[in-house]
Amino acid sequence: MLTMSESVIDLHTHTTFSDGSVSPTELVNLAHKAGARAIAITDHDTIEGLAEGRQAAAEIGIEFIDGIEISAEFSPGTMHILGYGVDPRSTPLRSTLAELVDSRDERNPQIAERLKVLGVDINYEDVVELARGDVVGRPHFARLLVERGYAETIKDAFDRYLAKGAPAYVAKRRLAYHEAIALIHDAGGVAVLAHPYQLALDSLDEVERFVAQLASAGLDGIEAIYSRHSKDERAAYSEMALGLGLLITGGSDYHGSYKPDISIVRGTGDLSVPYSLLATLKERLPQAPAQT
Ligand code: AMP
Ligand code: ZN
Ligand code: FE
Ligand code: FE
């Protein structure tokens, strides 16, 4: 029999409420089938999928963690902060996320405009329809570009049109990292730096100096065990976390058909996030107030 620490989990997934292709119920069922003992949903800028996910998880008998993924201002690469154990009823969290979604809704038609100038004939309404949920993201544009023959794959659509530095890229409002961390803490959660390789810094030393700065702003952990991190990167970021007194977390960043090479729980095949990381994370969560 597996001991508790040998069970696997997935703490980074997206549903149709942001830019994943499966519903929270489907996602929880897939995670269960893949052998996960616990699953977190971490949609971009929205907590609207959590209630459905929690309900599905209770029905199937798998542990559920409320999550969120928030983009923060950063250059040269991108910085995403994950929040775990956030209270979906938190008013500051809800109102800030609503602002972030509003700013997406300002940016997205501008992406459509740029695509039009580049000779791409797609209507923004079609992107919204394809997205279904309340958060429209670049992967939805990418999907439509593929469907309409303007790109070979989602990755090709990003490379040619949508990625930072590509001709249809339009920046959206992002929180400063200390704001994202404080927002997650205010909502009772722990804040974790997602996929540090995406910071696109030159060396591990540079990442470490920057993460130390994030830790001073209250960062609680590093997502060391990530689909697109090599074995060496997973080890190096885990060591970095331990050295800085931070939690280690892990997840696939499953998006269904929007990231077709990434499977839930298993990543690109070699992912294995032990339950013990979640057990340690939960010790950092503030105790929920007693129900009266
Ligand atoms: P958005 O929040 O709308 O700006 O889009 C963010 C989403 O786009 C996330 O799911 C990212 O993983 C995805 N993404 C960003 N850059 C790329 C890229 N170069 N190739 C594929 N997906 C990307
Ligand atoms: Zn995404
Ligand atoms: Fe991310
Ligand atoms: Fe993600």
Side-chain angles (χ1 to χ4, degrees), residues 12-14 42 44 69 80 82 195 226 253 255 259:
H12 191 159
T13 68
H14 296 267
T42 54
H44 302 280
E69 184 172 24
H80 291 171
L82 296 158
H195 42 59
Y226 182 71
D253 211 357
H255 281 69
K259 290 193 181 178

Side-chain angles (χ1 to χ4, degrees), residues 14 19 44-45 71 80 104 107-108 136-139 154-155 158-159 162-164 169 172 174 195 198 226 253 255 258-259:
H14 296 267
D19 55 4
H44 302 280
D45 301 344
S71 308
H80 291 171
R104 276 178 183 276
R107 174 201 67 167
N108 289 331
V136 177
R138 284 179 288 160
I154 301 246
K155 185 182 177 312
F158 268 92
D159 290 347
L162 300 164
K164 202 170 183 176
Y169 177 77
K172 66 179 185 305
R174 288 162 187 265
H195 42 59
Q198 283 186 19
Y226 182 71
D253 211 357
H255 281 69
Y258 290 97
K259 290 193 181 178

Side-chain angles (χ1 to χ4, degrees), residues 8-62:
V8 291
I9 60 175
D10 192 340
L11 296 180
H12 191 159
T13 68
H14 296 267
T15 76
T16 42
F17 281 82
S18 66
D19 55 4
S21 66
V22 307
S23 71
T25 303
E26 290 169 291
L27 183 132
V28 164
N29 285 310
L30 286 172
H32 181 252
K33 259 190 221 146
R37 175 168 168 203
I39 179 81
I41 288 178
T42 54
D43 276 316
H44 302 280
D45 301 344
T46 182
I47 48 181
E48 298 302 322
L50 299 179
E52 182 189 324
R54 178 167 287 285
Q55 170 76 27
E59 277 166 24
I60 207 164
I62 164 174

Side-chain angles (χ1 to χ4, degrees), residues 212-291:
Q213 218 175 299
L214 294 176
S216 311
L219 187 80
D220 301 285
I222 305 179
E223 187 183 48
I225 320 293
Y226 182 71
S227 296
R228 299 211 198 282
H229 285 164
S230 66
K231 204 166 162 251
D232 286 352
E233 284 172 319
R234 292 174 197 180
Y237 292 128
S238 294
E239 202 178 307
M240 192 183 290
L242 293 175
L244 292 166
L246 298 174
L247 298 166
I248 299 166
T249 72
S252 65
D253 211 357
Y254 175 75
H255 281 69
S257 59
Y258 290 97
K259 290 193 181 178
D261 60 324
I262 294 178
S263 302
I264 200 159
V265 180
R266 295 277 161 245
T268 54
D270 66 347
L271 194 70
S272 179
V273 183
Y275 184 86
S276 56
L277 297 182
L278 176 60
T280 308
L281 185 154
K282 287 197 290 185
E283 287 168 14
R284 283 236 193 167
L285 285 176
Q287 288 299 307
Q291 299 285 323

